[in-house]
Amino acid sequence: MKTFETERLILKPADIQDADFFLELYNMPSFIQYIGDRNLRTKEDAENYILNRFLPQFQKLGFGNYVVILKEDNTKIGAVGIFEREGLAVLDIGFSFLGKYEGRGYAYEAANRLKEAAAQDFGVNKISAITTKDNFSSQKLIEKLGLKFQKMLRIPNDDAELMYYEN
């Protein structure tokens, strides 16, 4: 599994050693509000989520969810991934960052690098993104990545009506 870099960041494939980080990230109030509650309450829950959700996609497609790490001090600050998602015909790019690292351009830098890598290394040129109507910062980032709003939709096992974008 490949690692990718930008000027300031390392994008490392998520693995079991990242369980504590995902436990923190996925339990942020903003993550639960905008993305959803993944019901990760313990380190073991996070390990199982990584084993059952992230690693199979890496094995199948060669890419998936990446931990975003600051080069300057090796701090894990967020995650960015391209996912197969039930209910979407096109692969979906998603991102989430710890609150204290938002608003510094890291999410765009990481997501744009992964979008480039998907095209160059894996031949994935068409991607989509979904977000809630009230997640304005994600909408702005998705549009900055070159994706355009297409329609409102619902995905299986999610009650929220979501904004759907494609490039």
Side-chain angles (χ1 to χ4, degrees):
M1 295 187 289
K2 292 182 83 166
T3 296
F4 304 102
E5 294 189 19
T6 70
E7 184 179 328
R8 302 182 294 171
L9 307 171
I10 298 167
L11 282 61
K12 174 194 84 66
D15 63 41
I16 198 91
Q17 288 76 32
D18 300 312
D20 286 326
F21 174 71
F22 280 103
L23 185 62
E24 177 184 3
L25 185 68
Y26 281 23
N27 281 292
M28 293 187 322
S30 60
F31 187 97
I32 292 169
Q33 176 185 356
Y34 293 127
I35 299 173
D37 189 349
R38 300 297 189 246
N39 294 308
L40 304 184
R41 301 296 178 255
T42 66
K43 182 176 181 178
E44 183 180 15
D45 291 342
E47 289 171 343
N48 287 329
Y49 196 86
I50 293 165
L51 286 171
N52 297 317
R53 299 289 298 269
F54 297 162
L55 298 184
Q57 185 179 309
F58 273 110
Q59 292 164 353
K60 179 181 176 186
L61 300 178
F63 56 87
N65 201 11
Y66 294 80
V67 176
V68 179
I69 302 166
L70 282 178
K71 279 184 177 179
E72 68 184 44
D73 62 7
N74 282 331
T75 301
K76 296 175 184 178
I77 64 168
V80 62
I82 296 181
F83 307 97
E84 280 189 320
R85 196 175 305 274
E86 186 180 359
L88 296 181
V90 177
L91 292 168
D92 166 55
I93 192 165
F95 39 84
S96 54
F97 283 75
L98 296 174
K100 65 182 175 181
Y101 297 101
E102 292 176 351
R104 300 184 192 182
Y106 295 132
Y108 174 75
E109 188 174 327
N112 192 54
R113 177 65 183 100
L114 186 57
K115 184 179 162 228
E116 290 172 354
Q120 294 168 358
D121 297 342
F122 302 105
V124 176
N125 293 302
K126 189 158 194 71
I127 61 168
S128 68
I130 52 176
T131 191
T132 58
K133 290 182 271 196
D134 59 345
N135 192 344
F136 302 112
S137 60
S138 284
Q139 293 168 29
K140 186 176 170 183
L141 174 54
I142 290 165
E143 291 170 1
K144 189 174 179 181
L145 289 169
L147 282 73
K148 304 281 184 248
F149 175 75
Q150 304 291 317
K151 61 186 174 184
M152 300 299 294
L153 60 71
R154 293 183 197 277
I155 59 173
N157 304 313
D158 192 335
D159 295 333
E161 189 176 37
L162 300 170
M163 299 177 75
Y164 177 80
Y165 295 78
E166 273 185 19
N167 63 342

